Amino acid sequence: MNLDIRIMSRDINEMLWKTKKTLSTAESCTSGRVAAVITSTPGSSEYYLGGIICYANETKMDLLGVDPKVIEEHSAVCEEVAKQMVTGANKLFKTDYAIAVTGFAGPGGGTDEAPVGTIWIAVGNAEKIVTKKLEKDRGRDKNLAIATFHATQMIHDYLKELLPEEA
């Protein structure tokens, strides 16, 4: 884990710990990498309530409440699915905030509309969800490392903007 991601993890820990807010994750292609970053900092058990690795579309639909019509029309790799995964994780774990990642990390699995390297990240709460689309294929390992970094950076920046300065 590089230094930047360790610093962000520590900052996330401080912000959530001080404000007594909670966090969960819903990860498809990153299969727990984001949760590993979040929980690498001591004290994370105070605010990190859990995560789900939802590789299968059925898991996204059954446990997170992702609309099957959205998956059917756009695939599981789209902005709306990522947003619904955030909402579903917050409901499932009863958390204040959630991080979701869905994508085609490679080497296979892409479509014409969402080729390999397309990864959607969403972070948020019931009031506000922000998203980011990664589109460049750099090979599976790099795609996953980059997605994990961006997901961590997004929740870090989101919390920094949302939570009080004293956090």
Side-chain angles (χ1 to χ4, degrees), residues 136-150:
K136 188 170 182 184
D137 181 17
R138 295 173 176 90
R140 183 177 181 81
D141 290 340
K142 284 185 180 178
N143 291 343
L144 294 173
I146 289 166
T148 301
F149 178 84
H150 280 283

Side-chain angles (χ1 to χ4, degrees), residues 10-163:
R10 188 194 68 222
D11 289 349
I12 292 164
N13 180 300
E14 281 185 35
M15 287 184 276
L16 291 171
W17 200 82
K18 286 180 180 179
T19 59
K20 300 194 183 320
K21 298 293 184 182
T22 56
L23 179 67
S24 60
T25 54
E27 299 181 70
S28 185
C29 64
T30 50
S31 42
R33 286 169 177 84
V34 176
V37 167
I38 297 298
T39 59
S40 68
T41 304
S44 58
S45 61
E46 292 295 318
Y47 59 85
Y48 183 75
L49 301 189
I52 181 170
I53 298 170
C54 48
Y55 245 45
N57 290 344
E58 292 79 12
T59 305
K60 290 175 184 74
M61 293 181 290
D62 294 346
L63 297 180
L64 296 175
V66 172
D67 185 346
K69 289 180 185 176
V70 174
I71 292 176
E72 186 180 317
E73 291 174 15
H74 304 284
S75 90
V77 181
C78 69
E79 182 178 32
E80 186 57 32
V81 167
K83 287 179 170 182
Q84 289 184 21
M85 288 169 64
V86 164
T87 300
N90 279 327
K91 286 181 184 173
L92 181 66
F93 293 102
K94 298 176 179 64
T95 50
D96 298 299
Y97 309 104
I99 305 166
V101 184
T102 184
F104 294 122
T111 66
D112 289 340
E113 297 80 28
V116 170
T118 303
I119 299 174
W120 278 99
I121 305 166
V123 302
N125 62 15
E127 290 79 42
K128 180 183 177 187
I129 297 173
V130 296
T131 62
K132 181 175 206 160
K133 181 181 183 184
L134 305 177
E135 298 183 83
K136 188 170 182 184
D137 181 17
R138 295 173 176 90
R140 183 177 181 81
D141 290 340
K142 284 185 180 178
N143 291 343
L144 294 173
I146 289 166
T148 301
F149 178 84
H150 280 283
T152 305
Q153 184 175 48
M154 284 175 68
I155 193 66
H156 176 270
D157 294 349
Y158 181 93
L159 295 173
K160 200 165 183 146
E161 179 183 315
L162 198 66
L163 295 177

